[in-house]
Every structure is written in C-alpha cells, then in structure tokens.
Amino acid sequence: MRTEQKVMDGGISRGLMFLLAAACGLIAANLYYAQTLVGPIGASTGLSAGAAGLIVTLTQIGYVAGLLFIVPLGDIVENRRLTVVSLAVAVAALIAAALAPNAPLFLAASLLIGTASVVAQVLVPFAASLASEAQRGRAVGNVMSGLLLGIMLARPVASFIAGIWSWPWVFAASAVAIALLAVLLSRKLPERRPAPSVSYGKLIRSLLPLLARTPALRRRALYQAFLFGAFSLFWTVAPLHLADTYGMSQQGIAWFALVGVGGAVAAPIAGRLADRGWSRPLTWLALSVALLSWLLPHFFHGHSTVSLVLLFISAIALDMAVSGNLVLGQRVVYALGSEARGRLNGLFMSIFFIGGAVGSALGGWTYAHGGWQLASLIGAALPLLAILYAFTEKGRREIEAKPAIN
C-alpha cells in the first residue's frame, strides 16, 4: 500500500522507466530468436523440416499459457519477487536450449522459455501502477517501445550471431543477459504488494466472467488481434518473398528485418497523445495505416527497385500501426481497474497473441498456395475486418465502462 501511495504522489522516475523498457525488450526477444534459426536448429537437433516449425509454435504456446496462468499472479503476489523467480526459470531454460543435444530437450526448453518470458507482461502493468494518471500513457508507451524494440531486433541479432559463431551462442548470450537483468531488477525495483482478496483458483476462474463484463477489453483486444495477425503474417511471408523475388541472402533478409525497428517510435508518441484524449482518432489512424501498408505492396509488386522500396515503407508503416495501437489499447485496459490489472493485461495479451499465431499460420499456408498476391490480400483483409468492427463502437461510454471486480 505504501508503494501505491508513493505512486500517486510522485509517479515513476525516468531511470526506472528506462530500466523497465530495457528489461521488457531483453525478455520479449527470447520469444523470437528461434524464428530465423529454425533451419540450423532443426539440422543440429535432428528435427525434420516439417517438424522444425514446432520450435516457434511451442514457444508461443508456452507464452499464451503464461499469460493466462502466470500474469494474473501479479494481482495477488508481490511483483518484484514474481519477476525475479520467473527470470531465474528463463535463465535455466535458455541454458538448456543452448546445450540441448536432441530435439525433445530443445522443444521442452522452448516451451519453458515462452512461459517464463511472460514476465515482461508483469512489468508493463507494474510500470502503469507506478505511474501517475497524468503520465500513464507515456509510461506504458515508453516501456512498450522497449518491448517492441526487443521483438524487432531479436530476428536480425539472432541471424548475425549465428552467422558469426553458431546458434547455441544466441541462447547462451541471452542467458547471461537475463541473469544480469534479474540481479539488477532485484535491487532496483520497488516492492509492489497487491492486497489479495481472492485465492489463485478463484482468480483464474474469474478470467472469463471478467472478459464478459468488460466490453472495452474485448474491443481493444480484438483490434490488436487483427493488427498483430497482419503483422505476424507479414513477417512470416516477407522473408520468403524477398528470397524468391529479389534473391536476397539470409544476411540481406536480416538487414531488412532491422527496418521494423523504426516502427517502435510510434509507441511513446501514441502514449503521449492518448494522455491528451486522442485515443479514438489514433485508433482509426492505426487501422487505416495497417490496411494501406498491405494494399501498397499488393498492387505494386514485382522485381523492380520501386516495389522493393514500397515494401520497406510498408514494413515501417505496419510496425508503427501495430506498436501505436498496442499502447492505445493497453492504456484503455489499464484504466479499467488497478485491482485486476494483471488479469486484464493477461486476457488482453493472450487474445491478441492468439491473433498473431493465426496470422503466422495463415502466412505459411497462403504463400504456399497463392504466393505473395494471396498472402498480401489476406494481410489486407485483417485490418479491414478491424475497421468494420470499429464502426460498431458505441463511443466514450463503452471505453470508460469499468467491470465489477470480484
């Protein structure tokens, strides 16, 4: 309770905000290192080309499980302790992945990496709880920009490290970084002791009723699910398209992946503008930009330099739309009630993360059956569905409606 009083009086410092942003980026990157390393990992551990996809899938399954069953603990367990314990598990899983001699052990480590890395979603609402009402959007935006930078840098960093040494060094280096981060956070994070009013079992059973009673949560989660699906579809098929159409090597694709880093700048900007009451028009802007970012490369494609430049522009625009809309959604969700912030965040993140998994699956299937044209058409359909859903929004009353927390 003393922490909450301090939050109300002073808010969050810039130093702690930066630390939380860096921590979220380092942790979230663990989910994406393997995406560009599926080939060498599969060859080293004995996985077939078809089964190698399990590497990414199991990491995602672990993450969704963590969102539903670990993130809600932030409402009843002291947050600093929860963070440090989760990071210790992540370190053990990363070491196991680096040393895995066979596929079963590596896949088990992947599942555990995904589950433990969900601690990033304990730290984001932690930052929101430390921030004053006037700075909450900025705080969430800055922390989310760090998380998104981690996601966007993970793929090219993994490719570069694996190219210089070998893929186990990626996981070994991350294990060292996460261990140092755990020590730093144990010293720098303030205590945050929620006042638990329910047991863990009742907490988990409350998730579906909480979702049913919270229209703003459902709406923001679905907006982001559509956009994250479009984002995941893009980054699933773009490397294939670059290799097939433009003859890019793995190193060239890694450099292209760095383009996405530019999209992270939208997160803090969106947070600041949301603090000024611009959430609704910014949501429409994000959905529209996401749609245009798919339509451009759909209609202007080929082997020319112009089409390649447009693909670069589309990548930046799509990443900006997704990262900006994510912060807008989280600001709305975190304003629904501090006593259920962990559960609200877990539901929000799990719904849109499932959208991302669906987008990845659609990307592989559409590219295999219809190439870039079919994939880009489906990619454009996802933000279009979000725009059609946005027309049903009832306005400010729906956004501000708060659930009765049990």
Side-chain angles (χ1 to χ4, degrees):
M1 295 298 292
R2 278 180 286 180
T3 298
E4 295 294 338
Q5 185 63 44
K6 181 180 178 182
V7 170
M8 293 172 62
D9 292 340
I12 185 172
S13 69
R14 288 185 179 180
L16 185 54
M17 194 185 302
F18 176 80
L19 174 59
L20 290 172
C24 286
L26 283 171
I27 296 165
N30 290 324
L31 299 169
Y32 297 93
Y33 288 137
Q35 283 194 332
T36 55
L37 305 176
V38 167
I41 292 173
S44 178
T45 59
L47 279 172
S48 66
L54 288 173
I55 295 170
V56 177
T57 301
L58 284 175
T59 306
Q60 293 175 334
I61 290 172
Y63 193 72
V64 172
L67 287 168
L68 294 174
F69 298 108
I70 294 179
V71 170
L73 283 172
D75 290 338
I76 61 174
V77 174
E78 199 279 304
N79 284 195
R80 182 174 63 185
R81 183 184 306 165
L82 178 62
T83 298
V84 173
V85 170
S86 298
L87 290 178
V89 174
V91 170
L94 287 163
I95 293 173
L99 300 176
N102 54 53
L105 182 56
F106 185 86
L107 292 175
S110 297
L111 182 68
L112 200 54
I113 288 171
T115 304
S117 295
V118 82
V119 70
Q121 296 308 323
V122 174
L123 293 178
V124 178
F126 195 122
S129 68
L130 292 173
S132 64
E133 180 63 29
Q135 65 174 177
R136 183 164 293 140
R138 182 178 62 180
V140 172
N142 287 338
V143 173
M144 285 306 301
S145 66
L147 185 147
L148 291 164
L149 274 172
I151 291 174
M152 294 168 184
L153 286 170
R155 300 177 185 91
V157 165
S159 293
F160 288 133
I161 292 177
I164 297 172
W165 294 296
S166 60
W167 69 263
W169 284 100
V170 176
F171 296 94
S174 182
V176 172
I178 296 299
L180 293 174
L181 177 65
V183 173
L184 184 60
L185 290 178
S186 69
R187 295 174 178 271
K188 297 296 184 181
L189 280 185
E191 280 192 346
R192 179 175 180 264
R193 293 185 178 275
S197 58
V198 296
S199 65
Y200 178 71
K202 188 174 181 181
L203 193 76
I204 297 302
R205 290 194 297 272
S206 72
L207 290 176
L208 286 179
L210 185 62
L211 180 64
R213 295 194 304 269
T214 317
L217 169 63
R218 297 195 303 272
R219 179 170 293 280
R220 298 306 315 195
L222 286 174
Y223 285 159
Q224 193 62 22
F226 283 122
L227 289 198
F228 198 58
F231 171 89
S232 298
L233 195 155
F234 181 90
W235 287 107
T236 298
V237 302
L240 300 173
H241 181 53
L242 290 169
D244 295 343
T245 305
Y246 301 99
M248 279 195 181
S249 65
Q250 193 65 34
Q251 291 293 322
I253 293 170
W255 282 109
F256 179 85
L258 285 172
V259 170
V261 174
V265 302
I269 296 172
R272 286 176 172 82
L273 293 177
D275 285 339
R276 300 178 183 177
W278 288 25
S279 289
R280 291 192 71 193
L282 286 173
T283 298
W284 278 99
L285 177 63
L287 300 181
S288 301
V289 168
L291 175 60
L292 289 173
S293 68
W294 269 112
L295 290 178
L296 275 176
H298 175 76
F299 289 111
F300 300 95
H301 66 281
H303 301 268
S304 67
T305 302
V306 172
S307 62
L308 182 59
V309 170
L310 287 176
L311 193 62
F312 271 79
I313 294 172
S314 294
I316 297 171
L318 180 60
D319 288 359
M320 291 183 71
V322 173
S323 60
N325 192 68
L326 175 57
V327 171
L328 298 175
Q330 286 184 303
R331 192 186 190 283
V332 170
V333 170
Y334 293 160
L336 294 175
S338 60
E339 62 272 37
R341 193 165 281 146
R343 281 172 284 171
L344 291 166
N345 187 58
L347 286 166
F348 175 74
M349 296 295 294
S350 60
I351 290 170
F352 95 67
F353 199 84
I354 289 169
V358 171
S360 296
L362 283 174
W365 183 87
T366 54
Y367 193 82
H369 289 81
W372 176 255
Q373 281 296 86
L374 179 59
S376 58
L377 191 63
I378 299 299
L382 293 173
L384 179 60
L385 287 172
I387 289 172
L388 294 176
Y389 180 47
F391 278 110
T392 68
E393 187 171 318
K394 296 178 181 178
R396 194 174 185 86
R397 183 179 300 177
E398 178 182 323
I399 294 293
E400 294 178 346
K402 296 186 178 182
I405 307 299
N406 293 324

